Structure formats: C-alpha cells, structure tokens
Amino acid sequence: MSSAQLAEIQRRIANVSRRLRRMQERTQRRARVLRLQTLLVYIYSGHQSDVAARFWVSHTGTSLSLGEAAAHVEWLYISASVDEKVEMMLNPRRSLGLRPLMVALRFIVELQLLSWVQFQNYECGVAPSRKMLLDHAQSCVPKDLPPSLTARLLRPFKTARSQRKALAAFRMKHRCKLGKLRSEAPIPLAEKQDKALAFYQWCNYWQANTEREPLLINMDESSLAFHWSGLAGTVAEAAVSVATDKAKLSSRRARVTYLCCITHDSTVQPLLPQVLLGNSRSFPLEFVKQAAEVEPGITVWREKSAWNSHRLMRKFLRLLCARLGDLLKTRSVGLLLDFAPCHVHDSIFELARSAGLRLLFVPPGMTPLLQPCDTHCFAAFKNNAQENWRVKKSEAGGHPTLLMWFQAVAAAVHDLVHRSWARAFESDGILQQQRNMSSHLLKQLHWSTAPQVPPVWPSEEVATLLFPRNWCGNRAKYISGNPDVWYIRTLN
C-alpha cells in the first residue's frame, strides 16, 4: 500500500470520527434541550406530571408507559438544581432559546385546549365554535409568562386568516374535525349496556327457538319534506341581487311520512311494502292515481293525517302479510319496531299473532344504536332523495311539480330496495349472535369485544329494560308471542 493510499484512508477515518463526534454532540444537545423543555412544561403546566410526560413521550418516541414517563419527569425536576429552576421561571428564553421555548409553550396550550374540547363534547354535549376555542385558548396561556412571550404565543389568533390556519392545524394535529354532535337520549352508559344485552338476549332467544328459518324485518317511519331548503352547493356572487331559493311557507312546512321496510334477506327485500303516507291536502286524488301508474312498487296512502296510528299500523300489517304470502308458512318472520305509541296496542299484537308475525321492539332510547333503519338506511336514503329532487327542480326551472317530487323519492326508494341490508343487521348485533358487531357500535357501548349473550328466556328483571319504565302492559306476552304468558311475582 502506497503512502498516498494510506493518507487517503487516514483522512476518511478522521472524517468519520468528526461526523460521529458531531452526531454525539447534536444528540447530547438535543437531550439537554428536551430535558429543559420537559422541565418548562412541568413548571408552567402547574406541576402536572402527566402533561410533561405526554410531551416527553411525544418527542422521544419511547415505549415507556405514561405512568413510567411521569415518574421520569418528576425525577428530572427533583434532580434539577435550584438555580436552573429559578432561571426557568424568571427567564426561560435565556435557558432554552426562542424556538424550543415556543414549542413547549404551544404544547401546554394545545393539550389544555384539547382536554377542554373533549370535556365539552363528552360531558356538556357542546361542539365549541371558533369564538369559544379562541377565548379558551387565551385562558390556557400560562399566567406567569413574560408579556413578550404571551404576545408571541397569541400571535396566530390576531387576524381571521391566521385564526383559521391555526385552528385547522390544531384539528389536524389532534385528530379533531368540524362537525355536529348527534342528539340522543341522556341514558347512562351502564344502562345503555344493560339495555343492549337485554335486547340481544331477546333476539337470540327468538332466533334459537324458531321452528323455521328466521326472517327479520325492520320497519320504521321517517319524515320527508316536499321542499328541502338549505341544501349546500355552489353559489355565485352577483352585484345586482342576491340569489334565493323561492318556495312557499306551506311547501316548506308540509311533511309526508315514509314507512320504510328493510330485511337482511336480499331475495325478500323487493317484496316488502314501501309506503308514503300523506294527508288529503298534500296528496290529491289525481296524484294518488298518477303515482300508482308511475311507480307501482310504492304504495301511496291518502289519509286525514300524515301521522301513523294504530289503525294505519294494522293496515300496514295486512299489506305486509299480503306481500309476504307463502313466506309466512315457510319462514319464522319477526317484525322489528321501535317503541313508538302507534306500534304498541293489543289489536296490533293480535293481528300480528294471527298472521304468524312475531313483534320485537328496540329498547327505548336505543334506536340510534340498534335499529338498522336508523343506523344504516335513513341518512343515505334522504341524501339520495334530496339530490334527485334538486336535479328535478333544476330541470323544471325551479318549480318542480308534486309528481316530480314523487319521482325523486321513488328513485331513492328504488336504490334502497335493491341494496343488501344483511350487513346492517349484523353490524347492529341483531344476527349471528353478535359476532359481527361493528367497531363503531362497540366503541359507543365501550366494549372491547362483542359480548357472548346466551339465547335464554329473559327474566322479568331483564324484561323491564326492554320496555318503557312506566309501561303497564304484559311484557311476557310480547317477549314470548303468547298472550297467556305472564311473569309470576312472588310476595315476600
């Protein structure tokens, strides 16, 4: 080996040594800065070790648990010198530098803001507006900061544009979104879980004790408007006038009831009745005749009121039995309903029993979680109907007729009828003994895995969860399908 080659190798070794030394220096410098940042977060968060632990874990990528990280943070604070702590409180910029200091302070503000948003969502039922977020973000700034640092920390909240950018970055970083909170009955979590288990026990018991293959049908009502106002779309600015959606107040207020039927068996779905119920003012006689010619698969009822009732429920059951025909002899048919007053009456029970139908009810307050029509059907159906109606209105020059409205709704019903709803019933835990429950439903009920519910006769205590608290009817009659069955109460 020549002297030139040896010199080249020595030069390369020296370069590698310098790079390793610089890398070690950078690592030590970063570790020192991270240590000071963690101390600062711990001090200015009010000595909350969990907040500082979250900061340390997020910037180190360690596999330690939050409790172990909190213990590490507390040890950092104990082992720090008094001078270091005083310097951190009086002049943190001198200890850290501006950029690392702002990173730590923003973390404190964002974490407190996120905790507040979660509290508002889950405890107060409020989705905070931009104004609420900005007001609370200012209150999250540490009180003992020098005025210059406070002003720099609040700089992104000065103008409307910077506010939008700052809040968009906050939402993206912490997996938040702009949206609305869904309204639901204020039922405690434990009661929700008990009601879901009771409902699953009833469903499993019925399916396990049927002599023939079970066929489950879900029927529910939904209100449809004649004129859908406020649909989002593209609006062009004009210098002369303002574009408006012109419609009479009567057409904006008028409503029709849609009696929707879905089942898990796609071969039976086309047979199920789909009913539009309107009053005599909304549905003239001539329109009822035209609707029967345009779309024979949809039944239009012209009644005094557009609300369902015991009489109309009996009428619907007769229509359902006529559509099912011989299936009532070859399948065990269950009709799943919510506990609306129009669904519960002795005459409805007797008519269903005589026809071979078993009535099952979703527990009160649980329809947003357990009823397939509510969980999987109505939102998609209404979006489809609204889009069809918007197209019809555009084609009609802004003045759609009643028949055009019916065609838009009929097209949405046609799409509904030709879809498979088996996944909806399985996701809600009604079929397959809850083995295919959706992750969304499990999350709503705070279950890590689907429960194993035995297909046994529900006790009287379980039955009380299936019906309204003050309901005085015979619960055993509805659960068994036999009017002669009662729960026996023992006197102490």
Side-chain angles (χ1 to χ4, degrees), residues 429-482:
I430 300 172
L431 299 178
Q432 304 295 328
Q433 292 188 339
Q434 299 76 53
R435 285 191 293 268
N436 296 327
M437 285 179 65
S438 67
S439 58
H440 173 74
L441 180 55
L442 291 173
K443 184 178 179 181
Q444 291 289 320
L445 294 173
H446 290 232
W447 287 338
S448 57
T449 58
Q452 295 182 354
V453 184
V456 297
W457 168 260
S459 65
E460 184 176 9
E461 183 181 359
V462 172
T464 56
L465 298 167
L466 296 168
F467 299 87
R469 288 191 180 93
N470 299 325
W471 191 67
C472 300
N474 180 8
R475 296 178 175 88
K477 176 178 77 171
Y478 282 92
I479 292 175
S480 64
N482 187 345

Side-chain angles (χ1 to χ4, degrees), residues 223-270:
S223 177
L224 299 181
F226 281 107
H227 183 95
W228 281 288
S229 302
L231 299 182
T234 304
V235 179
E237 293 186 4
V240 180
S241 61
V242 179
T244 57
D245 177 16
K246 299 177 177 61
K248 294 181 178 180
L249 183 62
S250 58
S251 63
R252 296 201 302 267
R253 287 182 174 177
R255 293 291 186 272
V256 171
T257 298
Y258 171 41
L259 279 67
C260 174
C261 266
I262 61 174
T263 181
H264 57 93
D265 192 335
S266 57
T267 61
V268 179
Q269 181 65 58

Side-chain angles (χ1 to χ4, degrees), residues 282-338:
S282 301
F283 286 169
L285 282 173
E286 186 64 26
F287 164 73
V288 177
K289 297 177 182 178
Q290 291 177 341
E293 297 174 357
V294 171
E295 186 56 58
I298 298 179
T299 303
V300 177
W301 288 349
R302 182 176 183 265
E303 300 288 343
K304 291 183 179 180
S305 171
W307 290 89
N308 198 3
S309 63
H310 293 155
R311 178 182 67 83
L312 294 177
M313 193 63 197
R314 293 192 295 269
K315 183 178 179 180
F316 173 82
L317 287 179
R318 296 188 189 97
L319 176 61
L320 176 62
C321 293
R323 293 287 184 88
L324 292 177
D326 292 337
L327 281 173
L328 291 170
K329 301 177 181 178
T330 60
R331 304 283 293 271
S332 294
V333 183
L335 182 60
L336 181 63
L337 305 167
D338 58 29

Side-chain angles (χ1 to χ4, degrees), residues 54 106-122 128 133 136-137 140 170-171 173-177:
R54 287 176 182 271
R106 287 195 190 100
F107 181 87
I108 297 173
V109 174
E110 289 181 2
L111 190 63
Q112 292 184 1
L113 185 61
L114 178 63
S115 300
W116 178 77
V117 170
Q118 292 172 340
F119 175 80
Q120 294 295 318
N121 290 168
Y122 293 98
L133 285 171
H136 191 76
C140 293
F170 169 79
R171 286 190 288 266
K173 181 178 179 180
H174 297 285
R175 300 177 64 185
C176 301
K177 63 180 181 179

Side-chain angles (χ1 to χ4, degrees), residues 39-185:
L39 282 175
L40 183 134
V41 172
Y42 180 72
I43 292 171
Y44 281 99
S45 64
H47 296 84
Q48 297 183 35
S49 58
D50 58 332
V51 176
R54 287 176 182 271
F55 177 83
W56 188 74
V57 169
S58 64
H59 285 75
T60 58
T62 180
S63 58
L64 293 178
S65 65
L66 198 59
E68 293 172 332
H72 175 74
V73 168
E74 291 176 355
W75 173 248
L76 286 180
Y77 182 75
I78 293 171
S79 60
S81 64
V82 176
D83 294 339
E84 199 172 29
K85 296 174 186 176
V86 172
E87 182 72 17
M88 191 66 67
M89 288 186 288
L90 297 180
N91 194 355
R93 186 170 181 176
R94 181 187 303 171
S95 302
L96 267 174
L98 183 60
R99 187 172 179 179
L101 174 62
M102 297 307 297
V103 169
L105 293 176
R106 287 195 190 100
F107 181 87
I108 297 173
V109 174
E110 289 181 2
L111 190 63
Q112 292 184 1
L113 185 61
L114 178 63
S115 300
W116 178 77
V117 170
Q118 292 172 340
F119 175 80
Q120 294 295 318
N121 290 168
Y122 293 98
E123 300 297 330
C124 304
V126 174
S129 62
R130 184 205 290 187
K131 182 179 183 302
M132 295 174 66
L133 285 171
L134 295 174
D135 291 344
H136 191 76
Q138 295 182 17
S139 67
C140 293
V141 176
K143 305 299 182 185
D144 300 330
L145 278 181
S148 59
L149 290 179
T150 301
R152 193 174 187 90
L153 200 57
L154 295 177
R155 184 181 297 175
F157 302 144
K158 282 190 175 181
T159 65
R161 183 171 181 270
S162 62
Q163 290 172 6
R164 288 194 298 270
K165 292 178 66 177
L167 293 180
F170 169 79
R171 286 190 288 266
M172 182 178 295
K173 181 178 179 180
H174 297 285
R175 300 177 64 185
C176 301
K177 63 180 181 179
L178 287 173
K180 300 178 181 178
L181 296 181
R182 186 174 60 182
S183 299
E184 62 178 32

